[in-house]
Amino acid sequence: MKKQFLILFAMISASLFAQNKSYLEANIDLSAPQTKAYFYNNADHSINNVQINDQGWLLNNYGVNFSYNYLILKQLSLGTLTGIYSDTKQNFSHLRLGGLIRYFYIKNKNYNFNLKLGENISFDKKKFNKGVNIKIGFGIPVYKINGKEQILLDLFWEQNYYELDDANKLLGLSDEIPRTLIVHSYGLSLNFMFH
């Protein structure tokens, strides 16, 4: 069994390196929160859930990220990503580390569906402790710089889950004990893809 596993691992590794198809991507993200569900306890430890409303359709979340991606199949790539993000309404700033999977549904044209998962690492524990991000999007090529570099527009939905234990109160109530904030957003991203 061990020998079969080693042979399988060697074959997969060889096929990955034989393809030698990697690409880099740099993104600028803008998003607008649609819902913000805030959970907190009060003095008697009961759980409260309130919706935090932002005025108007504001692009108040933004960030930049970079990813290194590798084609594991002709139309499927896996990648790692890192970025810096900010939510201006809650004054959250954080580092994001994670991974992504991308499926190119029109071969050789870079039209794609993508799924990104990341951990939000807080710069200020008084704002939030840590969090998780999930982002689902689809990319559309808008401009080809040359034969290999391209600019894409990504439309996406995302959810950010923030843990708020021992963080500052969001509502300012006297007996408020913050627990979590869940933010659902829609947004767009300008992507620069380098092969």
Side-chain angles (χ1 to χ4, degrees):
M1 181 71 175
K2 186 176 179 182
K3 184 177 179 180
Q4 292 167 335
F5 177 77
L6 290 174
I7 291 171
L8 180 63
F9 179 77
M11 289 173 58
I12 292 172
S13 297
S15 69
L16 288 176
F17 289 110
Q19 289 185 41
N20 195 24
K21 293 186 178 178
S22 62
Y23 61 94
L24 298 173
E25 192 174 52
N27 303 331
I28 301 170
D29 291 353
L30 298 170
S31 62
Q34 298 303 299
T35 62
K36 290 185 175 184
Y38 174 48
F39 296 85
Y40 67 94
N41 294 115
N42 57 18
D44 65 359
H45 299 290
S46 63
I47 299 172
N48 298 280
N49 174 14
V50 298
Q51 294 294 319
I52 296 176
N53 294 318
D54 291 330
Q55 298 298 316
W57 198 86
L58 302 171
L59 292 172
N60 56 23
N61 294 354
Y62 58 90
V64 294
N65 69 65
F66 303 92
S67 65
Y68 174 79
N69 305 273
Y70 196 86
L71 285 162
I72 59 171
L73 298 171
K74 289 182 180 179
Q75 292 176 253
L76 186 70
S77 69
L78 293 177
T80 60
L81 65 89
T82 184
I84 296 176
Y85 284 82
S86 180
D87 177 333
T88 58
K89 285 291 184 181
Q90 261 60 64
N91 201 19
F92 291 173
S93 294
H94 52 85
L95 176 68
R96 183 172 296 159
L97 300 175
L100 66 111
I101 185 167
R102 181 175 280 118
Y103 174 70
F104 296 94
Y105 60 90
I106 298 181
K107 196 174 178 180
N108 300 324
K109 297 289 186 183
N110 290 332
Y111 290 86
N112 69 87
F113 292 112
N114 54 76
L115 171 65
K116 299 177 182 180
L117 297 171
E119 182 175 358
N120 295 332
I121 301 167
S122 179
F123 290 140
D124 183 353
K125 299 290 186 184
K126 288 297 179 187
K127 301 293 183 183
F128 76 97
N129 295 314
K130 60 183 178 178
V132 177
N133 172 269
I134 181 169
K135 186 183 292 185
I136 300 168
F138 65 93
I140 304 164
V142 292
Y143 185 74
K144 187 173 271 191
I145 299 170
N146 59 37
K148 294 185 177 183
E149 284 70 42
Q150 201 164 33
I151 298 174
L152 291 88
L153 184 66
D154 241 21
L155 304 174
F156 63 83
W157 170 90
E158 73 175 336
Q159 175 182 289
N160 280 292
Y161 174 87
Y162 299 105
E163 292 183 12
L164 303 175
D165 293 331
D166 300 320
N168 293 337
K169 301 173 182 181
L170 295 185
L171 302 178
L173 303 175
S174 60
D175 62 347
E176 176 185 350
I177 303 169
R179 292 296 176 219
T180 59
L181 178 68
I182 301 171
V183 182
H184 295 128
S185 305
Y186 292 100
L188 55 90
S189 178
L190 192 61
N191 301 348
F192 301 90
M193 189 179 283
F194 306 95
H195 287 275

